Amino acid sequence: MKKIVFLLPFFFSISLFSQQKMNGNNEMEYFIRKLMSQMTLEEKLGQLNLPTGEDFVTGQAKTTQLADKIKEGKIGAIFNVKGVEKVREMQRIAIEESRLGIPLIFGMDVIHGYRTIFPIPLALASTWNMEAIEQAARIAAIEASADGINWTFSPMVDITRDPRWGRIAEGAGEDPFLGGAVAKAMVRGYQGDNSYAENNRIMACVKHYALYGAGEAGRDYNTVDMSRIRMFNEYMYPYQAAVEAGVASVMTSFNEVDGIPATANKWLITDILRNRWGFDGWVVTDYTAIKEMTDHGIGDFPAVSAQALMAGVDMDMVSEGFVSTLAQSLKEGKITEEQINTACRRILEAKYKLGLFANPYKFCDIQRAKIEIFTAEHREAARKIAAESFVLLKNENQLLPLKRQGTVAVIGPLANTRSNLLGSWSVSADLSAAATLVEGLKSTGGKNTKIVYAKGSNLMEDAKYEERVAGAGHTLYRDNRTNRELLDEALAAAKEADVIVAALGEASEMSGESSSRSDLNIPDVQQDLLKALVKTGKPVVLVLCTGRPLTLTWEQENVPAVLNVWQGGTEAAYAIGDVLFGDVNPSGKLTATFPKNVGQIPIYYAHKNTGRPLQNGQWFEKYRSNYLDVDNEPLYPFGYGLSYTQFEYSDIKLAAHKEEWTATVTVTNTGDRDGTEVVQLYIRDKVGSITRPVKELKGFKKIEIKAGDSQKISFRITSDLLKFYNSDLDYVLEPGDFEVMIGGNSRDVKTANFANWTKN
Ligand code: BGC
């Protein structure tokens, strides 16, 4: 009762004010100023606190006594709470039982879909289809918001050139230009026009700022050390692109940058993100990132909490450093009240923009949860996008597509699993809702195709290792038979088959967070199985499930067809059938280079030339930059992916205009099937004030071409595409000579030159 008496005058005065037709921002400012004038220091610090709920676990620490803390005004937002009814109840406690009735934000890692799971982000990027990526994010937002969520910890845009790092699965791969485009598409998909006028748009959070993908040796959470020139030219753009798209929030990363953990790095958060890029949303830490700075060794808990605030962090995820130490630090004069007010205001602004003050239950419509989640329409979109993400790595003698006849033996530890087709970060998925590959092929193979199945092997020999990757409900049903028994059963199944589909690779949790690997082969017993299957002489199609580039040198040499299906989400099994049986012609292209062996890592297409490059495609030459035991080329280059048809590229025609060039090629579908091609534009800046990469992606177009048809594709080359950060970190255009390359991947390109670009 006491509460209501308090609230009524507060909201009454605000609503009277609203009637005075102020513009939106002034109205918000007035509202928040007024609200903050009534808040105690503790309540302000409460707004900066982001604890975890208990519906699933995404880190090591827990938060206790959530309901009490909400009542006491000690929480600003919560994540890891699942289900609209639970969300509604927590919101009710905040509104009705806390002193000021300030609504909560509800966050979640909605990374590649909510209940309808789309392919992992690395696979989504492989579609090179920005409309499809935006649509996936849009559907994720619709489903999440129908279940009470209004903030997602996505997109993850960390560039990485190291597939040992398991989190390569969560981003768009190695290229900043593509990564920036994907970041923008995802922010648009989640946030729409940034007005949050509808209750099915949610706030996005770009992460992990910054450089998290460049950890040493591919080990998660590891040290990053890089020059600022490299940072700005190769790693920063996707974060900036998300900011340009209006992303509501930014998450700091676990790693250090220039010797200072990102979460306490003022240069990163204030100088670059806010002052240089103009970001005006709120900054949240990663899970316990404040607490972890004591282990980084930059101070005790109160000191690191204060440092995070002073660097520009607004919200503390799980550490509870802000709520528990900042009042004392303020007393001691280590931080200012203004710093606390600034952070608090940013969070209240987000709540205002989301419309939570107008209607705290805006995202708590129980009816929506019943009808808008995992709908036939969403699943259809997921199936189509999954099929578009698959990358055909090899197809000898056109083994694929398969005919819908005869017997197909589906063999492998990933053939009969549901949860392991989803990929990591499927926290909101129903892990039993996806079809297994066996079911998917039965459904898509038609009545004239007989499907037989055998497991063939466990995921790996080492049961303990397998246990580590069968977590989070992604069970693998370890088979206790011997390797020999499993193999014999598989060979018997293979014997009655006309073709073998081997479903091998990585289980869902073999990539993603805390899933670094030092060996990127398909694991031991699976390789043995594959070798035995190939040895039967029957045609073998490797359906490769993976969250990262693997080393497939043996497979490329010995297996006739390899279709990389990543971890394709809830509809993956059907989508695989669509591609294997030829209803969909594959068009995915890699966005991360596949190395020949782990020793080549980091390997990426946009490398520098060095002073001693290899000449003319040779392998080894003494005193040149190369290896004794492997050549410098990747197994599959960036941008690579085959189709069931073939495309031919004409030479490039360059046309000069007043302030730009146009590069045109004609692409011809020379095969007998309609197909889709991703036409890629690369540019090399031949002479610069700093050394420049041998090529950089600067454009791409995804086009459908009917069998036998040709299409003219033109790219505008504006001065913007030629700019880079120089030694002073100024973004400049340097006039000079450039090479233009266009092709279906980063290796096989047509080349033309233009010179003497002058400043506009
Ligand atoms: C991850 C973030 C994630 C957060 C919340 C962390 O461990 O690094 O990507 O958003 O947990 O679950």
Side-chain angles (χ1 to χ4, degrees), residues 587-642:
S587 61
K589 302 268 191 174
L590 300 177
T591 65
T593 302
F594 274 45
K596 286 191 171 134
N597 64 25
V598 170
Q600 285 185 319
I601 296 170
I603 182 169
Y604 49 94
Y605 83 92
H607 59 83
K608 301 284 184 76
N609 202 36
T610 81
R612 295 188 174 192
L614 272 182
Q615 308 288 335
N616 310 324
Q618 287 169 6
W619 171 357
F620 179 78
E621 203 184 323
K622 190 80 178 164
Y623 305 120
R624 294 250 154 216
S625 178
N626 47 209
Y627 302 98
L628 285 169
D629 55 354
V630 65
D631 64 44
N632 287 355
E633 296 306 311
L635 187 63
Y636 306 118
F638 176 86
Y640 172 85
L642 304 172

Side-chain angles (χ1 to χ4, degrees), residues 126-203:
S126 306
T127 65
W128 297 62
N129 180 342
M130 298 307 121
E131 283 87 42
I133 291 172
E134 182 175 337
Q135 188 193 12
R138 169 91 188 107
I139 289 173
I142 292 172
E143 294 196 356
S145 62
D147 221 10
I149 301 303
N150 43 36
W151 183 32
T152 176
F153 304 138
S154 171
M156 189 281 219
V157 304
D158 303 320
I159 296 295
T160 189
R161 279 127 185 222
D162 195 331
R164 289 172 298 183
W165 190 51
R167 302 198 79 169
I168 193 173
E170 297 175 45
E174 75 186 43
D175 187 71
F177 182 89
L178 182 69
V182 171
K184 287 186 174 179
M186 292 188 80
V187 172
R188 273 198 310 270
Y190 293 129
Q191 299 189 168
D193 64 3
N194 301 333
S195 71
Y196 310 100
E198 303 133 334
N199 65 355
N200 58 20
R201 298 293 192 176
I202 63 177
M203 286 188 159

Side-chain angles (χ1 to χ4, degrees), residues 298-312:
I298 61 160
D300 62 12
F301 194 35
V304 294
S305 303
Q307 284 180 60
L309 183 80
M310 288 188 293

Side-chain angles (χ1 to χ4, degrees), residues 188-385:
R188 273 198 310 270
Y190 293 129
Q191 299 189 168
D193 64 3
N194 301 333
S195 71
Y196 310 100
E198 303 133 334
N199 65 355
N200 58 20
R201 298 293 192 176
I202 63 177
M203 286 188 159
C205 181
V206 66
K207 68 187 189 186
H208 307 80
Y209 183 68
L211 318 180
Y212 183 31
E216 285 174 2
R219 212 179 70 207
D220 210 356
Y221 321 121
N222 208 2
T223 307
V224 172
D225 193 2
M226 116 176 17
S227 72
R228 290 199 175 174
I229 281 190
R230 167 164 268 186
M231 239 182 246
F232 278 90
N233 283 313
E234 301 172 28
Y235 284 77
M236 289 295 228
Y237 176 61
Y239 308 109
Q240 189 185 351
V243 171
E244 284 167 8
V247 72
S249 61
V250 174
M251 187 186 293
T252 62
S253 55
F254 290 123
N255 55 279
E256 65 178 65
V257 171
D258 281 344
I260 301 174
T263 302
N265 198 315
K266 180 175 165 296
W267 177 76
L268 271 182
I269 301 171
T270 299
D271 300 354
I272 301 302
L273 177 67
R274 291 201 184 277
N275 297 344
R276 188 159 180 165
W277 296 344
F279 174 66
D280 67 353
W282 88 102
V283 174
V284 61
T285 73
D286 203 345
Y287 204 109
T288 57
I290 289 181
K291 185 105 208 338
E292 289 166 28
M293 294 198 288
T294 60
D295 283 321
H296 275 283
I298 61 160
D300 62 12
F301 194 35
V304 294
S305 303
Q307 284 180 60
L309 183 80
M310 288 188 293
V313 167
D314 304 304
M315 190 177 253
D316 164 4
M317 187 193 286
V318 185
S319 293
E320 304 213 297
F322 280 3
V323 268
S324 68
T325 72
L326 289 188
Q328 183 61 26
S329 296
L330 179 64
K331 251 193 219 152
E332 292 169 11
K334 295 191 172 136
I335 55 167
T336 66
E337 196 165 349
E338 201 195 324
Q339 286 164 334
I340 295 174
N341 284 342
T342 303
C344 178
R345 184 172 36 76
R346 287 183 186 134
I347 289 152
L348 295 175
E349 277 175 10
K351 295 182 179 186
Y352 189 97
K353 287 179 188 159
L354 270 173
L356 292 176
F357 286 110
N359 176 12
Y361 303 105
K362 179 173 168 186
F363 301 93
C364 296
D365 175 349
I366 313 273
Q367 282 316 309
R368 279 191 63 208
K370 291 186 186 141
I371 54 177
E372 292 187 25
I373 296 176
F374 205 51
T375 63
E377 191 195 332
H378 293 173
R379 295 181 63 188
E380 189 51 42
R383 177 169 175 169
K384 196 163 165 275
I385 293 172

Side-chain angles (χ1 to χ4, degrees), residues 564-737:
N564 179 13
V565 299
W566 308 108
Q567 284 137 353
T570 37
E571 310 310 311
Y574 303 112
I576 295 170
D578 292 339
V579 173
L580 288 183
F581 292 112
D583 295 342
V584 175
N585 190 349
S587 61
K589 302 268 191 174
L590 300 177
T591 65
T593 302
F594 274 45
K596 286 191 171 134
N597 64 25
V598 170
Q600 285 185 319
I601 296 170
I603 182 169
Y604 49 94
Y605 83 92
H607 59 83
K608 301 284 184 76
N609 202 36
T610 81
R612 295 188 174 192
L614 272 182
Q615 308 288 335
N616 310 324
Q618 287 169 6
W619 171 357
F620 179 78
E621 203 184 323
K622 190 80 178 164
Y623 305 120
R624 294 250 154 216
S625 178
N626 47 209
Y627 302 98
L628 285 169
D629 55 354
V630 65
D631 64 44
N632 287 355
E633 296 306 311
L635 187 63
Y636 306 118
F638 176 86
Y640 172 85
L642 304 172
S643 160
Y644 293 156
T645 186
Q646 294 82 41
F647 300 103
E648 229 173 67
Y649 284 70
S650 72
D651 287 337
I652 300 174
K653 283 208 181 93
L654 274 176
H657 310 281
K658 204 161 150 239
E659 296 193 334
E660 61 186 54
W661 292 78
T662 313
T664 306
V665 287
T666 302
V667 184
T668 305
N669 179 344
T670 57
D672 54 8
R673 274 175 178 269
D674 300 348
T676 304
E677 171 73 328
V678 180
V679 183
Q680 301 157 40
L681 167 79
Y682 297 88
I683 295 181
R684 177 175 191 173
D685 182 355
K686 288 168 70 172
V687 181
S689 60
I690 60 166
T691 60
R692 308 281 293 119
V694 296
K695 58 180 74 135
E696 292 173 295
L697 182 73
K698 291 294 176 184
F700 56 90
K701 287 191 177 159
K702 189 161 183 176
I703 51 167
E704 286 170 26
I705 315 184
K706 296 234 170 299
D709 274 6
S710 295
Q711 265 185 47
K712 250 192 193 159
I713 301 297
S714 291
F715 292 97
R716 284 176 59 209
I717 303 174
T718 60
S719 59
D720 254 2
L721 289 187
L722 309 179
K723 289 183 178 165
F724 64 94
Y725 290 91
N726 67 13
S727 290
D728 298 324
L729 298 186
D730 291 327
Y731 195 52
V732 295
L733 168 70
E734 289 181 356
D737 294 352

